[in-house]
Structures are given as C-alpha cells and as structure tokens.
Amino acid sequence: MVRWSNKFLVHEFQDASINWTTNPIHRRFCRTAKYPSLWLSMRNFLFRSVSLVIVNLVLLVSVGDGEKLSFTPDPVNGHWVDTWTSMPQLTESTNLPPAPFTQPNVVFQNTTVRQTLHLSTGAKQIRIRISNAFGTTGLPITAATIALPVNNTAGSSIIVPASLQTITFSGNSSILIPNGALAVSDPIAISVKAQSMITVTLYLEQGQQTNAITSHPGSRTTSWFSPGNHVSADDVNVSGTQSAAHWFFLSAVEAWSPSAIRSFVIVGDSITDGRGSTDNQNDRWPDQLLTRTQANNQTSNIAIVNQAAGGNRILLDGLGPSVLSRVERDVLSHPGVGFVMIFEGVNDIGTSTAENASVVGDQLIQAYKQIVTRVHTNGLPIFAATITPFFGNAYFTPEHEAQRLRMNDFIRNSGLFDSVVDFDKAIRDPTNPQRINPPFDVGDGLHMNPAGYKVLAETFDLSLFAQFASGVSSFQ
C-alpha cells in the first residue's frame, strides 16, 4: 500500500508481498543470485518505478465526513509559493469593523466576512493562510468558501456561483486557531490566472471573543460583513450588510507552482502599502510592477509579494511590528521566496526628535546590516530602495532631511545591498530635490498618486531577477 504523510508527494511503499528485507524467498534469492549486485540494482529500479507510478495516480484526499475529492498535484514536481500576502497587524480600535459587528469583547459574532484578493501568479491549486497572530483568544472559523468574484472585480460582494468551493482545514470544514497561531487550508483545486481576483468568505458563528484581532487596515479593497451565515451566497450584500476597506485574518494565498516560480518579497511601509492609490484598482507600485513582470516572458515566473504596512518602522513597533522583529515571520518563513527588497526608514526618521535624529540614523545603519545578514543566511539576495522625499509633510525638518540624505548615501554607496533601486532620484522634483515631483504627490508631501507609483514601478530593473537567480552566499 502507499501511506501518504502529506497530501502530495511524500509516501512510503509498504506492500508485504514485495517486502525485500523480510520475505525469506526474496532474501535467499538476493544471497544466491549469480549477480547479486545487478539483482539489487534491478530491484531498486523496480521499487522506484512502481513508486513513481503510484505518486502519479489520482490522489484521494479525505474531506469532512468521509467525502473524497480526487486530484493530482499539478505540476507533479511543484512547490508552494506565495501569490498574495497581507502583513498581519494588531487592529487599532478605529479600524475594528463597524457596529454591530464589533461589540464589547467580541468581534464578528454570527457574521459572514467576504474579502477579495489580487493574485500575482496563476495556478491550478492554491491554499489559504489565516492568521490569529494578534488575537488574545482563539479564532473560531465555523465555515469558509472560495470562489471567483463576478467580472474578476476587486471589492465585489458577488461571486460566480459555479466557482464556489468549500475550504477545509486538515479535512475539517471548521477550525479553532489558537491565539498567536495560524492555520493553513487543505489544497484547493481552483484554476486561477496571473493578476486575477479570488473571493474568500469566512463565517464566525461565535465570533472572536476579544477586541484584539488580526487584520490589515490598508487593504485599499472593499470587504463585506453580513449578519448570519452566507458563505455560499451569490451575493452577501443583504439586509444589515456593511463594508470597509480592510482585510481581516487572511495573511497569504499559496500557489502550487512549477519550480521556476519564486516570489519577490517587498518589505515596506505605507508607500508600498499603497497610501494614495485607488481603492479596488490595485494600482500600488508593487501592483504596477507585477503588470511589468507579467508582460515580460523572462519575469512572468516572479510572484510579487507585498509585506508592507502603513506607519511601519525598521527599529520600533508601531502600526505593526518592526522590520527587525518580523523578518522571519513575513519573509524567511514563507515558501518559495527567491528575492527580497526593503523600502523603509522614513517613519523611523520622521518620528525621531531633532535631538536624537542622528542616533536613530546610527541605529538604522546597524539595522540595515542586521537585516541583510539574516536574509543572506538563507542565500537570498536583498535589494534596497532609497528613501523618497517628504518636504511639505509634518515629518520634514532640517534634521530629518539630513538623516534622509545620510541614509540614501549609505544605501547607494556602502555596498551592503545586492542592488539599489533609486526611488529618490526617480520621484524627486528636479528643481527641488527635497520634495516629490508635484505631479506625483498625492498632496501630503510623503505619498504618491497612482502616476507616481507607476514611476517607482518603472524604475525597478527587471534584469535583477536573472542576475540573482542563483541566489547569493549565505556567509555574511
């Protein structure tokens, strides 16, 4: 028989009728054959051949109460790669769902939550990660479904009915995720295209019994909250439904992909998270970079993974954990990572005082070195972007500007990073390099509009993916 120790490839051949080590006839034949080494080679070849045939047979996966789904891993020799991520954060009180979906000490009781996600690369099989990283109690998922949104529309409350499937977790339709933990769904056989949308719908019968929950406020995508269980409904916009541009609980979509597909993880703050971009249009700079990579046959195997959050800092926690505390969680623990980039530092500088700005600069330089060391340990290349201007923003002071210029000089000239993406040079005003070029300023002196984000996306050199395809030395 074949005993499967995971749902795809790892197996153990255990047919007693051909147990070469315990069957006395086979053991005697091996000892007395004229060419025992040849016999052993033939035996091993037969064993491997039969095993490979079995691996390629239809895999039966138990789901729920004995129900069977049949599918094979496609491709057979694939691996998991993130095709979408959302950096988990502790939800601020102002970003909790609106009443009645938030009550004292309980959120989303008897509530359906429908959310749409924009994928990078396509696949025939995917799975979903759900995070309870910041929940102080267990997160009880009563039921979950996946589908395609109508017209491939971001932020839609309506799905394509024929695409609806139940999501299961280790064969069960529900799961209780302990505080601080995450859950990974069983593989789902759903064909998705690069740059397409999916809809994930969760139902929480009891709700999460706390007001400390995990979310990503900067989704720039409409999510829907409906009273009752509507995970299988074509449209959740029923009586009592409300919406908000936040994601809740979902932290990643993993795609079963050919070995050539790898992810490019971007660690960033609100500029990468898309402040100033258009809700439900996916025009952040990483989204527009994805458009470029998918249009190029040489880079269409790169999944763009956005691990950014508004207000994020390198040194200290704030709106989400600091980069120094989340490198493992948001980068190194994820499957299929091939490349990493950091575009942070402005919030560290902008929240420093005039008196300690240079000290923060010293700490940032050491932090950059620490981050590179940790990323290089996994043999991954790491690129860095220069810090863009912020004249006209409350962050701007002469002391802060001096540290921005100091950090950019370090990023450009230290040789620490495997490559540098000069966003500062690309987006600054040619007549006043302390500020963003006015046509690209969203109006606050710090963030860009979609046209400005297009400039950043076009600045990135796509040839870096081929240049560092073999990784880098982990000795540093």
Side-chain angles (χ1 to χ4, degrees), residues 329-406:
R329 186 198 72 175
D330 291 347
V331 180
L332 303 181
S333 69
H334 284 253
V337 177
F339 314 88
V340 182
M341 177 173 169
I342 184 165
F343 177 26
E344 287 219 34
V346 67
N347 290 317
D348 298 86
I349 294 170
T351 57
S352 67
T353 65
E355 293 74 23
N356 76 345
S358 63
V359 174
V360 169
D362 294 340
Q363 294 171 342
L364 278 175
I365 288 174
Q366 186 176 38
Y368 283 132
K369 294 176 180 178
Q370 282 288 305
I371 292 164
V372 169
T373 295
R374 289 157 69 183
V375 171
H376 277 176
T377 297
N378 283 32
L380 298 172
I382 179 167
F383 316 136
T386 50
I387 300 172
T388 50
F390 48 83
F391 180 84
N393 189 270
Y395 276 177
F396 188 87
T397 67
E399 294 82 5
H400 291 165
E401 176 66 3
Q403 292 308 308
R404 184 183 77 88
L405 296 176
R406 178 189 175 197

Side-chain angles (χ1 to χ4, degrees), residues 160-444:
V160 177
S163 68
L164 183 71
Q165 294 191 50
T166 297
I167 297 174
T168 58
F169 305 91
S170 303
N172 299 300
S173 59
S174 63
I175 189 168
L176 176 64
I177 308 172
N179 61 297
L182 64 81
V184 182
S185 78
D186 296 325
I188 306 158
I190 182 171
S191 183
V192 293
K193 297 179 180 179
Q195 302 185 85
S196 67
M197 303 296 303
I198 62 170
T199 299
V200 176
T201 308
L202 308 176
Y203 173 61
L204 287 71
E205 182 177 13
Q206 301 301 319
Q208 187 163 15
Q209 302 294 312
T210 179
N211 289 146
I213 66 170
T214 304
S215 72
H216 189 87
S219 68
R220 287 36 169 175
T221 307
T222 304
S223 297
W224 300 86
F225 324 125
S226 306
N229 184 351
H230 303 283
V231 292
S232 299
D234 295 354
D235 189 354
V236 297
N237 192 5
V238 297
S239 177
T241 295
Q242 297 190 49
S243 64
H246 305 316
W247 285 312
F248 293 92
F249 309 129
L250 304 179
S251 63
V253 178
E254 300 172 354
W256 185 252
S257 307
S259 58
I261 292 184
R262 290 179 289 171
S263 69
F264 173 38
V265 183
I266 304 168
V267 177
D269 50 39
S270 56
I271 300 173
T272 298
D273 203 28
R275 179 73 177 270
S277 64
T278 314
D279 281 2
N280 298 316
Q281 293 300 311
N282 293 303
D283 52 15
R284 311 165 190 83
W285 80 260
D287 299 322
Q288 299 194 59
L289 176 61
L290 174 63
T291 301
R292 289 186 63 211
T293 58
Q294 286 299 310
N296 187 322
N297 289 335
Q298 302 301 312
T299 57
S300 60
N301 63 323
I302 304 298
I304 307 297
V305 173
N306 191 333
Q307 291 284 34
N312 198 233
R313 292 183 287 187
I314 291 176
L315 299 173
L316 299 175
D317 292 351
L319 299 182
S322 69
V323 174
L324 284 174
S325 67
R326 69 184 181 96
V327 169
E328 274 73 23
R329 186 198 72 175
D330 291 347
V331 180
L332 303 181
S333 69
H334 284 253
V337 177
F339 314 88
V340 182
M341 177 173 169
I342 184 165
F343 177 26
E344 287 219 34
V346 67
N347 290 317
D348 298 86
I349 294 170
T351 57
S352 67
T353 65
E355 293 74 23
N356 76 345
S358 63
V359 174
V360 169
D362 294 340
Q363 294 171 342
L364 278 175
I365 288 174
Q366 186 176 38
Y368 283 132
K369 294 176 180 178
Q370 282 288 305
I371 292 164
V372 169
T373 295
R374 289 157 69 183
V375 171
H376 277 176
T377 297
N378 283 32
L380 298 172
I382 179 167
F383 316 136
T386 50
I387 300 172
T388 50
F390 48 83
F391 180 84
N393 189 270
Y395 276 177
F396 188 87
T397 67
E399 294 82 5
H400 291 165
E401 176 66 3
Q403 292 308 308
R404 184 183 77 88
L405 296 176
R406 178 189 175 197
M407 291 307 104
N408 284 349
D409 179 69
F410 176 80
I411 291 169
R412 290 185 183 107
N413 300 313
S414 67
L416 176 67
F417 299 99
D418 296 301
S419 189
V420 173
V421 184
D422 204 340
F423 284 166
D424 169 47
K425 181 179 179 181
I427 204 70
R428 68 194 181 198
D429 183 351
T431 64
N432 180 2
Q434 293 183 336
R435 70 178 184 182
I436 296 172
N437 202 355
F440 305 131
D441 186 346
V442 76
D444 65 2

Side-chain angles (χ1 to χ4, degrees), residues 22 34 47-48 52 71 83 92 103 112 125 127 136 154 159 186 213 235 264 268 271 281 327 411 440 453 476:
T22 61
K34 184 174 181 180
F47 179 89
R48 288 193 298 268
L52 287 172
F71 58 86
T83 185
E92 299 174 285
Q103 297 291 334
T112 296
Q125 291 140 355
R127 62 188 187 186
T136 54
I159 62 167
D186 296 325
I213 66 170
D235 189 354
F264 173 38
I271 300 173
Q281 293 300 311
V327 169
I411 291 169
F440 305 131
Y453 288 138
Q476 180 167 335

